Amino acid sequence: MRRVWALFIFTAVTSLKAEKPFEFPTTPGKLPKHIRPIEYAIRIQPDLAKLTFSGSETVQLSVESPTRQIVFNAFDVSVTEARIDENLIASSAVKADTKNELVTLSLPEELQHGQHTLALKFNGKINQFGRGLYYVKYQEQGTGAKKLLLGTQFEATDARRLFPCWDEPVFRARFQLSAVVPENWMAVSNMPIASERKVSAGREVSFQPTPSMSTYLNVFCAGEFDAIESETEGVKLRIITTKGKAESGRYALESTAQILHYYNQYFGIPYPLPKLDQLAIPGGFGGAMENWGGITYYETALLFDPQNSSITTKQRVYEVIAHEVAHQWFGDLVTMAWWDNLWLNEGFASWMGTKCTAHFNPQWEVWLEKSIPRDPARRIGIPKEQAMEGDARATTHPIQQPVATEGEANNAFDDITYKKGQSFLRMLESFLGEEPFRDGIRRYIQAHQYSNSTTADLWNALDAASGKPVTEIAAAWTEQPGFPVVTVKRENNGKVLLAQERFTIGFSKASDGLWKIPITYFIDAQSAPATMLMSQKTTSLEDIPMDRALKLNVDGAGNYRVAYDATSWKLLLASLPGMNAPDKVNLLSDAWAFVQAGLQPLAFYIDLVGRLPQDTALAVREQIINVFDSINHLLADTPQRDQFRNYAQWVLRPTLNELTFEPIRAELPTAPVLRASLIQELGLLGDQDVIKRCRENFEAYLKNPASVPSDLRGATFAVVMRNGNAEIWQRLHDLGLKTTSTEEKQNYYDALAFATDPALIKKTLAIALTDELPTSRAVFLVSKVARESDRPDLAWEFAKANFKGLLAKVDALGANSYIPSLFTFFTDPNRIEELRSFAKAHLSEASAKPVEIAADEIRFRADLRRRLIEQIGVLK
Ligand SMILES: [Zn+2]
């Protein structure tokens, strides 16, 4: 085993230098490559009373060279019997290596080259934290009855918790699942049901075998479900929910038909399975998971109730479906060979999903939107800027990064993987052109369907389709960390000098880098954009009129920042009135990043905000709201905070006045979203009129919920709680306990996090240990409190005292980062040592990276806070 390990680390490191196209034998991984599973037949029998299961499976193996050992993955699963070609293997020859999540069978005789059958019996546990086979307890809609359902979540490496398997993405096989469920339950897996029969414990359901696929894409869900269905282009579509909620899946069902058609065209290969089920699960895990033919969603990411859901929910539902359905090709039909190329799955699905969403819903401004969701992550709403912010820090990593252990595979699901990946693909598409890019994707999918791939395979396909040196351009963006800032300097003769260097925040020892940057620019806001590839450290633009504004990074679509000299900046400021919203957002984002990095004073950003024409463009105002919100938190407990709050109200209030507090007919589709953001932020900043109106609306809501538009409810509750007492807390809590709608429940409990009275803060924190919220949401109530109450100390005190109970509820992706992330709300560098020693005593080795990210964040926040306090005098 050790030898295989050493070999793997070696290949992983060298592959970064010059990655090769996909080849099975050289793909990284722990498992020996001379035995491959071809087909599994798996039978699972859950025991719902004991929350355990027993299972059996036969695996057809292809043995490429004679061997005395069979090695596969299993974790928290005991193998009770093993047979090879029907010969019993002595139990003393079955060795479990818990640390490495492996089982080794030592055979009495050498197994010869050819096909063999492995038969195993095993048993394991059903857990509540969304890894492997999990259970969810919930209240049934309508009846309020307490019910239980079963679901699975396998990515990255948890299929091995349900059945012993070759649990690395490169070991593709066909899977034929059977499961025993209670008589009145519906059972769902990747493929349609082949047969059913009565058994003593209920009903045994057998599914058709899947095509060749990776283990982590298997799915099994069962419970008292309802479904609605339709058919599009020969594929049976279903939305499956717990009883009483199926009609809320109507929007998802209709959107899926639209999205599936779009992808059938785009990829040039029709969706390959006979059906596509999508399940809304009220707990278990937090995001969405692209299991082939059976996608699972946390309920609020799939269900939309036209009467009671907000427009933000509607948009998120569309975006998440578009992301997950894109994976059915990119990820499922073609799968990354190893976790070091996770970005291939996630960067691509994020980009494709957003492209598709923008195509059908241009009114949502999705490329600019702050809440581009990701899966299967637990956090929702990661600003696009956040990936660039993380990528500027000392703790960043290249998009393609070595992954050695299961724990590291789970760490790979971060902003860099999703958002930088997406951002780079968007930049590349605009450089190559929409059609050549699509042709390259078609070529790639065609060549690797039902197989695996590496990043090199994608670049080769795009090279061939576009005739441009994609491999060469891409290397710097995916294989080195960070991204560039381009400086713009005007010369006297119409010449503009451009120079690139690495952009960093609080990271003085950063290595420099050189990027091939697809630069886009325009002269004045009206002229057509031009493009050039900047391959060297410096270059120049010629014939730029001296008296006209020059803007680089058109629409902010490029993954780089731009620093202008004083003359160019002045001309740009003068051209703001004619500039479109994406370019304004881009200038604001860059300006704030320069303040964060200490390259410009706060006045630089404030001056830009002051010069913007008054308008209600969602993305422009959202950028400012986000920055104000973070400044407001950073200034907690300082005398400067009041001054800032007055200024921020003065900037934001006119926009709310223009929009009006109550919705009006014939307003922009983005108006309700902006209105809710403004009301919440102004309420938190202390705008007395907004607080008063929120209180009135809350009273009205208690009498008649329909009196407050669904878009405004979350903001209203938050503002009322921020300025409320124990009685308000109790009312919100009672409402939360009573509702069976996951979305409404979330609104009420989220609001509790806004309380500032320490006694109420403690009451909110205690909910995290109860069954009131699904586990995946309950644990994040603690982070929500740490952020919104400005009392991260109370949140941490609570988490420290209860960390075992909390970690028992955290899913695979949060396991390493959950505790460190609670420290990211501190601004006191003394906390760094406290985190390190806690991690050393209580957390796994895979937490080391999240600990360093949190430490860097604390230092950054402490530094920015110090500078803001010094510079706040600029807000006269
Ligand atoms: Zn994804």
Side-chain angles (χ1 to χ4, degrees), residues 155 288 290 323-324 327 345-346 349-350 374-376 418:
E155 193 179 25
E290 69 264 23
H323 177 111
E324 300 306 330
H327 273 312
N345 274 8
E346 298 306 344
S350 300
R374 35 183 235 168
D375 79 320
Y418 282 72

Side-chain angles (χ1 to χ4, degrees), residues 370-431:
K370 61 166 183 172
S371 64
I372 298 170
R374 35 183 235 168
D375 79 320
R378 62 265 170 228
R379 280 178 294 163
I380 291 183
I382 296 301
K384 169 190 180 257
E385 282 296 309
Q386 210 157 319
M388 281 176 100
E389 203 179 313
D391 202 17
R393 306 292 191 81
T395 47
T396 189
H397 61 80
I399 286 181
Q400 288 176 267
Q401 57 176 337
V403 171
T405 66
E406 285 76 10
E408 285 180 23
N410 288 328
N411 281 346
F413 291 82
D414 68 2
D415 295 344
I416 304 282
T417 299
Y418 282 72
K419 311 298 306 173
K420 188 181 181 183
Q422 161 176 356
S423 184
F424 174 65
L425 289 172
R426 184 181 179 209
M427 186 164 74
L428 192 62
E429 187 205 25
S430 70
F431 180 69

Side-chain angles (χ1 to χ4, degrees), residues 653 656-657 661 678-684 686-697 715-716 719-720 723:
R653 185 62 206 230
L656 181 59
N657 294 344
F661 202 96
L678 284 165
I679 288 176
Q680 175 156 333
E681 193 57 29
L682 282 163
L684 299 181
D687 183 313
Q688 291 306 313
D689 177 50
V690 167
I691 294 169
K692 184 170 153 273
R693 299 181 78 155
C694 284
R695 283 181 173 144
E696 289 164 7
N697 274 353
T716 305
V719 171
V720 168
N723 301 281

